[in-house]
Each structure stands twice: as C-alpha cells, then as structure tokens.
Amino acid sequence: MPVDERTFVAEVAGWVTAILARRTDLPYGKATVEEHGVGDRKRHDFLLYRRDVPKVELTGEVKMPESPMGKSPLDTELVEDAFDKATRRGVPYYFTWNVRELALFETHREGVPFMDRRVEGPTTVATVASSDDLRRPGVEQAIKDFWESFLERYADLQAGRRPLQNLPLDRRFVLRLEAALETPISQTQDEMARRRRGDAAFRSSL
C-alpha cells in the first residue's frame, strides 16, 4: 500500500528534530512541516529552523517517487514550486526530494534565472522505486543516515567551510531532459501493462 506523502514528511521532520536534539553541535534546532507563509495559501512541505532562533534556514518540497512530479528532483514544476516558496521565505537554499534523490539549490543569485542558479546533486538518499519501498528493511535507517550527513554538510555550506558542489551545465541539461522524459515513459509503461493484462492479442504481440 502506498505511503501518504504528508505522513512521510512529518515522520522525516520528526527524525530530523531527533537528530538535532542529539547533535547540539549543529546550528539547527528543529524541522517542521505543513506551514503556510504569511499571507500565503501555499504550504511548505519541510522547513528547517535555526537553533534557539525563530528563523527558517532551509525549505524543501517532497514528492513520492511514483507521483507525476516525483520522477526526478529536477522536475521543472517541482523546482519552480520549491523556488517560489523559498523566495517568499527568504531562505538562502532550498531542496527538492523524491525520496530516492535530493537536489539542493541556491535561491538567490543576482542577474541569473532561477533554473540556471547553482545546484548540488541529485544525491542518492535511498534505493526506492515507489513509496511502497519505504516499508522495506533498512530504508528508514538509510534516510536517517542521509539526513544526519546532509545537516552536517549544510552547516558547513552556510559557514563557508565547504562550497556548493555545482552541477556542471552539460550534466544538468541531460538530467533535466531525462526528468522531462520520465512522465511520458512512465505513462507508456503503465498503458502497456494495462493492455497486456486485458488484451490477449496485444500480450501475444508484445
């Protein structure tokens, strides 16, 4: 049975908050979900707060890997939505995550269109094909391990200790092309599977 997106993100926020309670060396205090910006009806999937200060340091949007926008963290519609929300919050970076991979983006860069701004990743988080895989042994721990490492990485990035590892332009182009092709490929596979189940002639021909 598929895992609900909002339920999953809430669980992740709890895991991240627990990590931060243990890792007091990190400058962040908690993660929250489902918040709305001031005067904004759009909700934020994930927000990371600074420790002891009511300041959001990072926002992110999450999609299940089987959802239309979850085929790739570089899906144009997903990135645009995440960018818009990050801009409204005034955070320096934001991420997109389809559970399988996460991409970290620079929010503001003077004179550069947002789709051309620096991006790090996509970075592999867990080996999952759909939300059903979240129940497999080891997946939850892999996600927790990733987030602890990511929080360390993000703290280093903000402190200037490690720069953003920008994705090369040619690789970015290929990944965005692949992301654009994910939906028609997936729809074609689903339709072939449907016809294979109900059409003996098609099944024989296939």
Side-chain angles (χ1 to χ4, degrees):
M1 181 180 295
V3 176
D4 178 73
E5 176 188 305
R6 296 188 182 189
T7 300
F8 170 70
V9 180
E11 289 180 346
V12 172
W15 299 339
V16 169
T17 299
I19 291 169
L20 294 172
R22 173 171 52 83
R23 292 290 305 275
T24 56
D25 57 307
L26 294 171
Y28 314 111
K30 67 175 181 177
T32 64
V33 298
E34 299 295 318
E35 287 191 18
H36 294 264
V38 177
D40 187 3
R41 292 184 299 174
K42 289 187 175 182
R43 65 176 180 83
H44 294 267
D45 284 353
F46 182 100
L47 302 97
L48 180 69
Y49 280 84
R50 197 156 193 89
R51 190 179 299 276
D52 301 324
V53 180
K55 180 184 178 184
V56 178
E57 295 286 1
L58 177 72
T59 61
E61 295 303 303
V62 184
K63 295 296 178 186
M64 293 293 103
E66 68 268 30
S67 69
M69 287 195 294
K71 305 302 181 182
S72 166
L74 297 182
D75 176 89
T76 299
E77 188 175 351
L78 177 60
V79 174
E80 288 178 350
D81 184 44
F83 168 77
D84 180 59
K85 293 174 182 177
T87 300
R88 290 173 183 269
R89 278 280 181 171
V91 295
Y93 298 92
Y94 64 95
F95 69 84
T96 54
W97 183 29
N98 69 345
V99 184
R100 183 171 53 248
E101 296 177 309
L102 182 145
L104 178 66
F105 296 82
E106 179 184 47
T107 308
H108 300 286
R109 196 176 183 191
E110 195 67 30
V112 179
F114 86 91
M115 286 298 281
D116 293 330
R117 292 174 187 174
R118 294 186 302 163
V119 53
E120 180 173 291
T123 303
T124 299
V125 178
T127 304
V128 294
S130 71
S131 60
D132 289 331
D133 293 332
L134 291 169
R135 297 185 177 87
R136 288 197 290 105
V139 171
E140 179 179 318
Q141 189 58 51
I143 294 172
K144 290 178 178 178
D145 291 344
F146 168 82
W147 271 101
E148 183 158 3
S149 175
F150 177 80
L151 291 166
E152 294 172 352
R153 163 81 187 99
Y154 191 60
D156 285 344
L157 173 63
Q158 287 200 294
R161 291 187 292 267
R162 290 174 59 190
L164 196 73
Q165 301 299 307
N166 193 32
L167 187 66
L169 186 61
D170 58 344
R171 182 60 179 152
R172 188 183 306 189
F173 173 79
V174 170
L175 288 173
R176 285 181 179 162
L177 179 60
E178 290 176 346
L181 291 171
E182 283 282 359
T183 295
I185 290 172
S186 177
Q187 291 174 343
T188 300
Q189 290 175 327
D190 291 345
E191 176 62 15
M192 289 177 66
R194 186 192 67 79
R195 292 185 61 185
R196 182 178 181 276
R197 289 191 299 268
D199 186 332
F202 178 80
R203 183 168 57 250
S204 177
S205 175
L206 180 64

